[in-house]
Amino acid sequence: MSQNPLTLNHDVNDATRSAGPTRRPEVPTSPDIAVVPDTDPVFQISDLSFFYGAFRAIRDVSMDVRGNQITAVIGPSGCGKSTFIRCLNRMNELIPGTRVAGRIDYHGQDLYADDVDPIEVRRRIGMVFQKPNPFPKSIYDNVAFGPKVNGLKPASMDDLVEESLRRAALWDEVKDKVKKSAFSLSGGQQQRLCIARCIAVKPEVILMDEPCSALDPLATNRIEELMIELKQDYTIVIVTHNMQQAARVSDRTAFFTAEVSDEGRERTGVLVELDRTEKIFTAPGDRRTEDYITGRFG
Amino acid sequence: MTAVALPIAARLRRGASRSRLGLLLDAVFSSGLFVGTFLGVLALGLLLWTVYDRGWERLASDPSGFFANFVSRFPARAGIKAALYGTAWLMGLTALFSFPIGVGAAVYLEEFAPRNRLTSFVEANIANLAGVPSVVYGILGLGVFVRFMRMGPSLLAGGLTLALMSLPLIIIAARESLRAVPVSIRLAAYALGATKWQAVRHHVLPAAMPGTMTGVILSLSRAIGETAPLIVIGAAVSIFNTPDDVRDPFSALPVLIFNWTSRPQPAFAEAAAAAGIVLLAMLLAMNTVAIFLRKRFATRW
């Protein structure tokens, strides 16, 4: 589906964004606009391409994802943001007929090496999806499933469930009804349950694929606060359609865009730039980034 | 130029903007559809009434004798005991064989099978098998189970034959309900480090179970009403004990009904109708359970 980029991004916040100035003053690049420590890279991605059959969805992405930070991935629809983060925990290969080229190192280990078990990769690199997708079971069972199938034997499963729900800022709301169906929760609570479920298997990284796009602003706010809290212990990569969200929560922002092929049929995602979030939003290094964040995509 | 604006009441009035023909067609179609539905219900009602009218007296006059007696040359003394036991055994055996195999096949085809020509060949043939007449399954059962595997006209042969006959429908029903489980549930499980089997075993299969059970029960209720395959494999009528073992010969309600209706005495026709009431009651009970399962346990996504 090829869309005019101008018609994309139907976020609530679009109104606010386009109301702003369309041209930003040049901000001189200074090294201290934001204090973002250069933590060790968790992912080192080099020349990553991803194919659905013959169609190349992303091309030659090279970037680092640093530990204990939130890296936001922004860009117009169809620019391969979701495809990109699904490469990081090998979720993409569940789709038949897909192929990865390039290399992703995770703490120096090639994620796609022959002897790497994708199941183990997915346990260590958790994922939260766009639409809350709790299992049709009790709140408790939703959280306990991951540890169970991974053979984690906590001293007390009850404690692990409680701890995970607490970390996801959900415990107080559900402590009296953990045996109730997860479907009895509101959308925002369900999404926090999905985060708790993810935390319960003790991952190192949490990938979030537009985790707030199905939520109202209040629920979004809670998830954002939660993310900032969680980055103490986890590395977070979040795909978002919402630039305000990226600006609010992330330390670094990667801007992707879609390159349209000569025949105009194929849209291939490319990384335009990755930088500290503040710099991306005040003094982007690339014209395309500036056009996108000022709402003047073109 | 000023158009005279119609008052709102006139504009909202029925037929103000839509043609009368359109409204008429609407009425014609909806009543036509109602008549169609009603005819189906009417046919069912007539059937139930006929069976009730012919058989109820016989059933009600001596219910304990009718259930407790074996067959007899004398219609007044004839009962359905052996056939009732036979049908119950058959039902159990058919469920025992067809449920695990059917669900297993469905899980394999839906979740694990590679998308290749062999898989599509198997899929197409399952759909074909669902359309094979039951008497042909009887011939298969006779050739394979009764003769080649030397089971004789036993409960085991009958159960296996009916199970084979039910399998295609069970597989189709189970696949439908597996397919109705959203992909997002599978992805959620994989993202937590579950293997494919763990995702299926803990989430996909339980979520698909109510729909699958409904399909299983409906095809079982079709199977226990089957006459032709049982006659072909040699189900008996004149049996004077209840089976203790799957190797025992057996009778079954539909076979007994078929036998009684072909006898000259009118009293046997009444007994056949009475047995028909019993069989119908069993079928309706099973279908009720199926509906209950679907309503009560189905997951609303």
Side-chain angles (χ1 to χ4, degrees):
Chain A
M1 194 171 65
S2 104
Q3 288 170 298
N4 178 348
L6 283 172
T7 64
L8 304 175
N9 306 314
H10 307 282
D11 290 345
V12 201
N13 301 288
D14 259 26
T16 0
R17 188 190 64 202
S18 41
T22 52
R23 188 174 293 270
R24 284 179 193 280
E26 289 294 317
V27 177
T29 323
S30 77
D32 54 5
I33 26 180
V35 188
V36 178
D38 282 343
T39 50
D40 287 336
V42 170
F43 290 104
Q44 286 170 297
I45 299 144
S46 36
D47 298 323
L48 179 75
S49 291
F50 189 82
F51 299 84
Y52 294 98
F55 166 64
R56 170 137 71 171
I58 52 176
R59 195 188 70 208
D60 299 336
V61 173
S62 297
M63 63 183 260
D64 287 357
V65 173
R66 292 180 184 277
N68 296 91
Q69 290 187 356
I70 300 177
T71 303
V73 179
I74 61 168
S77 280
C79 71
K81 307 184 291 283
S82 294
T83 301
F84 167 70
I85 70 159
R86 279 155 191 252
C87 288
L88 299 181
N89 67 341
R90 297 186 60 170
M91 282 298 270
N92 271 338
E93 67 194 35
L94 294 167
I95 308 164
T98 56
R99 188 164 63 82
V100 163
R103 190 180 162 102
I104 300 178
D105 281 321
Y106 174 65
H107 293 298
Q109 162 67 46
D110 180 3
L111 265 191
Y112 284 83
D114 286 341
D115 58 346
V116 168
D117 177 8
I119 309 274
E120 192 55 31
V121 169
R122 288 180 209 127
R123 185 186 77 70
R124 285 166 192 279
I125 305 170
M127 186 161 221
V128 175
F129 296 85
Q130 185 167 0
K131 239 185 95 201
N133 57 352
F135 300 124
K137 307 210 160 182
S138 71
I139 294 166
Y140 185 97
D141 288 342
N142 262 277
V143 181
F145 171 72
K148 237 182 266 168
V149 295
N150 283 291
L152 301 185
K153 299 226 164 47
S156 154
M157 186 61 91
D158 290 2
D159 290 348
L160 177 59
V161 169
E162 178 177 339
E163 183 203 320
S164 308
L165 287 167
R166 275 191 195 283
R167 298 253 30 205
L170 188 60
W171 176 250
D172 290 336
E173 291 157 63
V174 302
K175 62 183 172 206
D176 301 323
K177 49 173 187 178
V178 287
K179 297 288 177 193
K180 282 243 177 84
S181 164
F183 284 9
S184 66
L185 300 175
S186 72
Q189 288 173 324
Q190 287 186 11
Q191 196 63 301
R192 275 179 282 146
L193 175 62
C194 293
I195 294 174
R197 180 173 75 177
C198 175
I199 290 171
V201 298
K202 310 212 175 293
E204 292 149 322
V205 180
I206 303 176
L207 307 174
M208 297 183 168
D209 190 355
E210 299 192 40
C212 302
S213 64
L215 305 182
D216 65 51
L218 271 176
T220 300
N221 195 22
R222 298 229 38 191
I223 304 259
E224 288 179 3
E225 285 170 4
L226 179 58
M227 282 191 276
I228 290 171
E229 232 179 274
L230 289 174
K231 77 172 177 179
Q232 309 302 324
D233 299 311
Y234 305 93
T235 302
I236 297 176
V237 182
I238 173 180
V239 165
T240 177
H241 236 114
N242 177 334
M243 281 186 283
Q244 269 70 19
Q245 182 168 62
R248 279 191 299 262
V249 302
S250 70
D251 300 295
R252 288 170 200 275
T253 297
F255 173 65
F256 276 63
T257 194
E259 274 184 354
V260 182
S261 70
D262 294 339
E263 305 88 55
R265 288 213 197 89
E266 279 198 356
R267 294 164 59 87
T268 301
V270 290
L271 171 67
V272 175
E273 61 179 316
L274 164 72
D275 214 324
R276 284 160 310 186
T277 298
E278 191 171 339
K279 178 150 186 300
I280 289 279
F281 283 98
T282 52
D286 194 288
R287 170 99 200 160
R288 290 169 291 178
T289 315
E290 189 178 345
D291 286 346
Y292 182 72
I293 61 165
T294 53
R296 186 163 39 84
F297 198 98
Chain B
M1 209 173 101
T2 54
V4 183
L6 279 166
I8 191 73
R11 277 190 277 167
L12 289 178
R13 196 164 296 140
R14 188 169 292 138
S17 61
R18 227 167 291 273
S19 71
R20 303 229 166 235
L21 182 67
L23 289 170
L24 186 71
L25 278 178
D26 198 36
V28 166
F29 278 116
S30 57
S31 43
L33 294 172
F34 173 77
V35 169
T37 311
F38 186 71
L39 279 178
V41 177
L42 189 74
L44 180 67
L46 268 176
L47 175 87
L48 288 175
W49 171 252
T50 326
V51 176
Y52 170 81
D53 187 43
R54 287 222 210 125
W56 185 251
E57 229 182 276
R58 174 71 180 82
L59 188 60
S61 64
D62 179 19
S64 56
F66 191 66
F67 284 107
N69 290 348
F70 291 106
V71 287
S72 163
R73 276 189 297 131
F74 306 104
R77 267 191 252 155
I80 59 168
K81 188 170 184 184
L84 196 61
Y85 273 75
T87 289
W89 271 85
L90 279 178
M91 206 164 31
L93 287 171
T94 306
L96 190 71
F97 297 130
S98 61
F99 179 68
I101 299 176
V103 173
V107 168
Y108 173 74
L109 286 173
E110 205 53 45
E111 308 288 335
F112 293 93
R115 293 272 156 262
N116 58 22
R117 284 192 182 183
L118 180 67
T119 309
S120 359
F121 179 76
V122 171
E123 283 172 353
N125 277 296
I126 286 172
N128 286 337
L129 283 175
V132 169
S134 60
V135 67
V136 177
Y137 279 102
I139 296 169
L140 178 76
L142 180 69
V144 176
F145 301 127
V146 177
R147 295 202 176 135
F148 179 71
M149 298 176 81
R150 294 172 194 277
M151 291 177 190
S154 62
L155 276 172
L156 188 61
L160 285 170
T161 306
L162 291 183
L164 271 189
M165 195 195 79
S166 323
L167 266 180
L169 282 179
I170 291 181
I171 295 173
I172 290 167
R175 290 189 68 183
E176 285 301 326
S177 27
L178 286 170
R179 217 172 295 156
V181 178
V183 180
S184 63
I185 292 302
R186 296 170 172 87
L187 290 182
Y190 297 145
L192 291 168
T195 60
K196 205 162 194 180
W197 169 242
Q198 286 169 329
V200 170
R201 150 89 182 68
H202 291 278
H203 300 296
V204 181
L205 205 50
M209 222 6 99
T212 306
M213 288 305 293
T214 304
V216 169
I217 292 171
L218 290 180
S219 58
L220 273 187
S221 70
R222 200 198 122 193
I224 67 157
E226 277 298 341
T227 320
L230 296 181
I231 290 178
V232 174
I233 66 164
V237 171
S238 304
I239 288 200
F240 299 96
N241 54 356
T242 53
D244 318 302
D245 194 293
V246 293
R247 285 166 301 182
D248 289 348
F250 67 101
S251 182
L253 278 174
V255 176
L256 183 66
I257 293 170
F258 175 71
N259 182 280
W260 279 350
T261 49
S262 53
R263 294 195 185 205
Q265 298 98 314
F268 268 120
E270 281 169 25
I277 294 175
V278 176
L279 189 58
L280 274 173
M282 290 172 80
L283 294 180
L284 289 180
M286 288 173 75
N287 290 5
T288 310
V289 171
I291 291 168
F292 171 77
L293 280 177
R294 192 169 50 204
K295 295 268 182 229
R296 174 69 181 74
F297 294 106
T299 312
R300 272 167 284 278
W301 301 101

